Amino acid sequence: MRLDPLRYLDDELTSLREQGLYRRLRVLDDEQKAHASVDHRAVVNLSSNNYLGLTTHPLLRERAADAIQRFGVGSGSVRTIAGTMEIHVELERKLAEFKRTEAAVVFQSGFTANAGTVSSILGKDDFIVSDELNHASIIDGARLSRATIKVFPHRDVAAARTIVEALPRDRRRLIITDGVFSMDGDLGPLPALCDLADELGCIMMVDDAHASGVFGRHGRGTVDHFGMHGRVDVQVGTLSKAIGSLGGYVAGSRALIDFLQHRARPFLFSTSHPPSVAASCLAAIAVLETEPALIDRLWENTRFFKAGLEALGFNTGNSQSPITPVIVGEAATAMTLSDRLFEEGVFAQGIGFPTVAQGKARVRTIVTATHTREELAFALDCFAKVGRELSVIRDS
Ligand SMILES: Cc1ncc(COP(=O)(O)O)c(C=O)c1O
């Protein structure tokens, strides 16, 4: 009889269960919205990245449906063979305009945009200087590049400077940061890192996955928010969060984009977006330009909810964005807090190691433009009740 060569996975899963890190996937029964039905329970949804509610926006639906009727459901090929449709090119033109760069290229996801870019623009003789909390897709891209990876403590520009100063000037050196850090909601120190990159001749790259549609004029991201146009060589964004659809992109110089179209492996070796996805992204960019009130509402809700959590005594870290972590320490506490909140009618995912450091487990909350005040007030009441029950906060 053949022994199962994968049986060691059972031990790994048992270990995850023992550490309180085993996760059962929650399933949406209906649309991705601020008030949703998850596992057949009506909940206030504080877990999605649907910052502006665009997953269900009428214009995006309409344009996606039209594109299916006109162009079919799939692109049928990778971009470099037969999978480049006019609508992909139009989307790239609009993204470049939106980000105020010469050109842009779309990838299948934000993950492949980061990993495909970092791994193709650098090689084994180069150096990558990376914030310790940068997204996994940056880390994987850095590993794939075979460049030497130097990690600096979170947001510590002085430490980044010490690292860069010690590197050989005749090598390519990339400084890379998230624009908004996805688990903490704080911002990368973009102006100071751009100064460092300018002074020491480094390539500057930012991953604005959580900033596009949220920060800057009409949601142009942290580069716009900090007035850093022309000083960030590589801007990555996602179409899967505030934009409400799916995909990622890189915006930068024409040469950068041309190079990525020749060398970035996800662009070369994975089929391009269905036309309906590209159409919905184009509609989303139009919405960002024509409905700025959505972004205003996102920020009003963010201020309201964040102030509420802080007033209750939760540890919300240093967030400056609609992502507000409720940091509790142990993974088991975070998972219990999340489960109890769910029972009360609030969906806020518990997050533990390895997504965040050991001892920094949390429940992560994200408000959106489409939450009502009543929904957010209800969520705060639930946090108060369950937080006291689990002694995460004290009775006031
Ligand atoms: C900071 C950051 N970068 C990149 C990504 C990847 O984006 P996508 O979901 O479009 O692959 C994410 C999403 O989880 C993210 O949080």
Side-chain angles (χ1 to χ4, degrees):
M1 197 181 76
R2 183 173 182 261
L3 274 180
D4 178 6
L6 290 177
R7 64 191 177 281
Y8 65 95
L9 298 182
D10 293 333
D11 298 337
E12 297 285 337
L13 289 168
T14 302
S15 159
L16 287 179
R17 284 193 186 90
E18 284 166 2
Q19 297 170 70
L21 293 173
Y22 184 81
R23 236 190 344 230
R24 202 178 53 74
L25 297 180
R26 296 235 183 252
V27 180
L28 271 167
D29 318 308
D30 204 343
E31 297 175 336
Q32 178 64 267
K33 288 204 297 203
H35 198 270
S37 178
V38 179
D39 289 343
H40 308 294
R41 181 183 286 267
V43 287
V44 174
N45 181 2
L46 295 175
S47 286
S48 90
N49 301 309
N50 184 23
Y51 290 105
L52 302 174
L54 298 193
T55 56
T56 53
H57 191 286
L59 186 70
L60 275 74
R61 285 187 201 266
E62 185 191 311
R63 295 285 163 83
D66 286 352
I68 288 177
Q69 291 308 326
R70 288 184 62 198
F71 305 118
V73 295
S75 75
S77 169
V78 301
R79 286 286 302 272
T80 47
I81 298 183
T84 296
M85 302 172 100
E86 178 55 37
I87 202 160
H88 296 126
V89 178
E90 190 187 342
L91 176 58
E92 290 172 340
R93 247 190 334 257
K94 282 282 181 228
L95 285 168
E97 229 175 85
F98 180 63
K99 287 285 177 174
R100 304 279 193 259
T101 57
E102 279 177 13
V105 57
V106 169
F107 286 81
Q108 297 82 358
S109 68
F111 196 105
T112 54
N114 270 328
T117 300
V118 175
S119 61
S120 63
I121 63 172
L122 297 158
K124 66 177 173 33
D125 296 329
D126 304 328
F127 293 90
I128 295 169
V129 181
S130 176
D131 188 291
E132 66 177 332
L133 295 189
N134 277 344
H135 191 256
S137 52
I138 293 173
I139 298 168
D140 286 7
R143 289 176 181 157
L144 283 169
S145 75
R146 296 185 296 143
T148 304
I149 303 165
K150 302 277 186 185
V151 174
F152 60 88
H154 185 45
R155 303 183 74 248
D156 188 340
V157 180
R161 171 176 285 277
T162 305
I163 292 171
V164 178
E165 281 177 347
L167 299 178
R169 295 278 183 110
D170 59 347
R171 299 288 170 79
R172 294 179 196 122
R173 291 147 295 141
L174 172 77
I175 300 175
I176 184 161
T177 183
D178 279 4
V180 175
F181 287 88
S182 56
M183 293 299 142
D184 291 85
D186 51 354
L187 301 189
L190 205 53
L193 290 176
C194 285
D195 288 348
L196 180 61
D198 285 352
E199 186 186 326
L200 296 173
C202 301
I203 306 161
M204 185 66 220
M205 174 164 170
V206 64
D207 169 12
D208 248 354
H210 286 275
S212 302
V214 176
F215 281 88
R217 287 164 300 165
H218 296 274
R220 287 191 162 74
T222 57
V223 173
D224 190 80
H225 172 75
F226 285 119
M228 293 292 112
H229 287 291
R231 299 186 62 196
V232 176
D233 305 290
V234 188
Q235 293 187 53
V236 167
T238 179
L239 302 164
S240 326
K241 300 185 193 295
I243 297 299
S245 187
L246 179 71
Y249 57 92
V250 179
S253 68
R254 174 121 6 242
L256 169 72
I257 302 313
D258 218 3
F259 179 83
L260 292 175
Q261 290 186 347
H262 287 83
R263 283 288 176 269
R265 292 169 73 81
F267 188 86
L268 298 176
F269 296 115
S270 183
T271 295
S272 56
H273 279 321
S276 55
V277 169
S280 62
C281 295
L282 277 164
I285 296 168
V287 168
L288 289 180
E289 295 292 343
T290 55
E291 296 184 39
L294 275 178
I295 300 178
D296 295 343
R297 218 172 309 138
L298 169 66
W299 281 101
E300 282 161 22
N301 280 349
T302 296
R303 284 188 284 273
F304 174 78
F305 192 67
K306 218 182 264 298
L309 285 175
E310 281 162 13
L312 288 169
F314 286 105
N315 174 7
T316 58
N318 299 313
S319 167
Q320 298 159 272
S321 73
I323 299 171
T324 307
V326 172
I327 302 168
V328 298
E330 292 311 309
T333 312
M335 300 310 161
T336 309
L337 177 59
S338 173
D339 287 345
R340 281 288 299 113
L341 284 167
F342 191 77
E343 285 164 13
E344 297 291 329
V346 175
F347 180 27
Q349 193 63 259
I351 294 169
F353 183 78
T355 310
V356 295
Q358 298 272 21
K360 296 255 176 96
R362 64 199 59 195
V363 163
R364 183 180 67 159
T365 67
I366 301 181
V367 299
T368 70
T370 45
H371 282 102
T372 63
R373 271 301 147 89
E374 291 70 30
E375 285 163 354
L376 294 178
F378 169 78
L380 286 171
D381 287 345
C382 295
F383 263 96
K385 177 178 175 190
V386 178
R388 287 186 189 119
E389 182 185 302
L390 299 177
S391 302
V392 174
I393 49 170
R394 284 194 295 275
D395 285 326
S396 48

